[in-house]
Amino acid sequence: MQEHVGDGRELTIRAFADRAVDPVSGTSISKSTAGNLVQGHAIKVTPEVLGAIAAGLGVPLALVQLAAMRQYVGVVVDDPFDTDPGDDDTVVRVAHDPERTAEDMPTVRAFVERARPAE
């Protein structure tokens, strides 16, 4: 939010609030809630609110969901094993504490290796 909305950013708080309507439920974000988000204040998060934020920013919902997980729960979702991006058969996403590395997750690594298709 703080990178995209506010003074000197691509969207004003008002413009963001006008666009921030969840396309599924119709839930919207008020200007005061938008202002709280820009200032980094915690708000009540629901799936509908995340949908509205995604719509307001014009980004995929999954991106907003991942950011909320990191901010509110302290969990990241990524590929700690640096799987070859050209490997179309294996897509790895692991929810984990940001302090954990691939070396801290040998069981997960073993699972990923077992799940790879045989060549």
Side-chain angles (χ1 to χ4, degrees):
M1 284 288 303
Q2 295 171 340
E3 293 174 15
H4 302 283
V5 180
D7 293 336
R9 304 291 193 286
E10 60 194 77
L11 288 170
T12 64
I13 291 174
R14 168 169 279 181
F16 167 77
D18 289 344
R19 292 173 44 171
V21 179
D22 177 39
V24 176
S25 68
T27 298
S28 61
I29 301 281
S30 69
K31 285 186 275 310
S32 64
T33 297
N36 283 332
L37 285 166
V38 169
Q39 293 173 13
H41 297 240
I43 64 164
K44 181 179 178 185
V45 175
T46 65
E48 297 80 14
V49 167
L50 296 180
I53 292 170
L57 294 174
V59 300
L61 175 59
L63 185 64
V64 175
Q65 291 168 325
L66 292 172
M69 283 178 55
R70 183 172 196 131
Q71 180 177 352
Y72 286 93
V73 184
V75 172
V76 296
V77 177
D78 63 11
D79 178 357
F81 307 112
D82 297 321
T83 305
D84 178 3
D87 185 351
D88 293 338
D89 293 328
T90 306
V91 176
V92 177
R93 295 291 177 265
V94 178
H96 62 94
D97 180 307
E99 301 298 317
R100 304 227 19 216
T101 65
E103 291 74 34
D104 299 326
M105 297 181 263
T107 305
V108 176
R109 180 183 290 280
F111 173 81
V112 169
E113 292 303 321
R114 282 192 314 271
R116 287 183 194 269
E119 293 190 27

